[in-house]
């Protein structure tokens, strides 16, 4: 199974290092969305296994987008780029089932961590 990963950011430069590392894996199929509306459409059409949502998202609170993505596809896993500390992030995002919090400007180490976590969760 080829995991489909959706990257959501109004500024693709923020996720550039992460994307560069993810595309090195020939099994990964990568999609980009610059807005919440694009992300919801891609999620409905492509059913990615993971959506990585950048904190730099114009016009939509990233946590609200997580909830909307889950309503489009309940099986989607999500990761959120956030400058919050672990405790604050946990309290703010509790109940949304977010798989991971990523640091600002995630890199190849974060990509490896995401792929490892996703490995046991990918559905056929």
């Amino acid at each position: 199974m080829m995991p489909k990963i959706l990257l959501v950011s109004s500024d693709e430069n923020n996720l550039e290092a992460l994307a560069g590392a993810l595309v090195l894996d020939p099994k990964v199929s990568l999609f980009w969305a610059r807005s919440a509306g694009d992300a919801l459409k891609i999620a409905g059409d492509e059913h990615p296994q993971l959506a990585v949502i950048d904190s730099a998202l114009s016009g939509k609170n990233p946590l609200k987008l997580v909830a909307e993505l889950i309503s489009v596809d309940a099986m989607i896993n999500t990761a959120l780029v956030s400058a919050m500390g672990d405790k604050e992030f946990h309290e703010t995002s509790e109940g949304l089932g977010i798989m991971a919090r990523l640091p600002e400007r995630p890199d190849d180490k974060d990509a490896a961590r995401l792929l490892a976590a996703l490995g046991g969760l990918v559905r056929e």
Side-chain angles (χ1 to χ4, degrees):
M1 177 68 181
M2 177 180 278
K4 297 178 185 179
I5 299 176
L6 171 60
L7 301 180
V8 185
S9 180
S10 298
D11 182 355
E12 290 180 5
N13 292 327
N14 291 351
L15 300 180
E16 184 176 43
L18 180 71
L22 290 171
V23 297
L24 292 176
D25 185 329
K27 296 177 283 199
V28 170
S29 182
L30 205 57
F31 298 86
W32 280 94
R34 290 183 161 269
S35 70
D38 289 348
L40 293 168
K41 177 161 180 21
I42 292 168
D45 293 345
E46 298 294 334
H47 301 286
Q49 285 76 30
L50 174 64
V52 177
I53 304 165
D54 191 7
S55 57
L57 184 61
S58 299
K60 176 71 74 177
N61 177 309
L63 290 171
K64 289 189 190 304
L65 179 56
V66 168
E68 291 175 11
L69 284 168
I70 291 168
S71 72
V72 168
D73 182 351
M75 298 302 293
I76 196 168
N77 297 287
T78 56
L80 193 62
V81 174
S82 175
M84 288 182 212
D86 287 336
K87 184 176 180 184
E88 181 185 3
F89 182 81
H90 176 74
E91 289 173 1
T92 304
S93 66
E94 193 168 13
L96 291 175
I98 296 173
M99 185 174 92
R101 178 186 64 82
L102 300 173
E104 298 288 328
R105 303 236 179 214
D107 60 17
D108 56 334
K109 291 180 186 79
D110 299 305
R113 190 169 53 106
L114 280 176
L115 289 174
L118 190 61
L121 302 175
V122 172
R123 64 184 188 271
E124 293 294 326

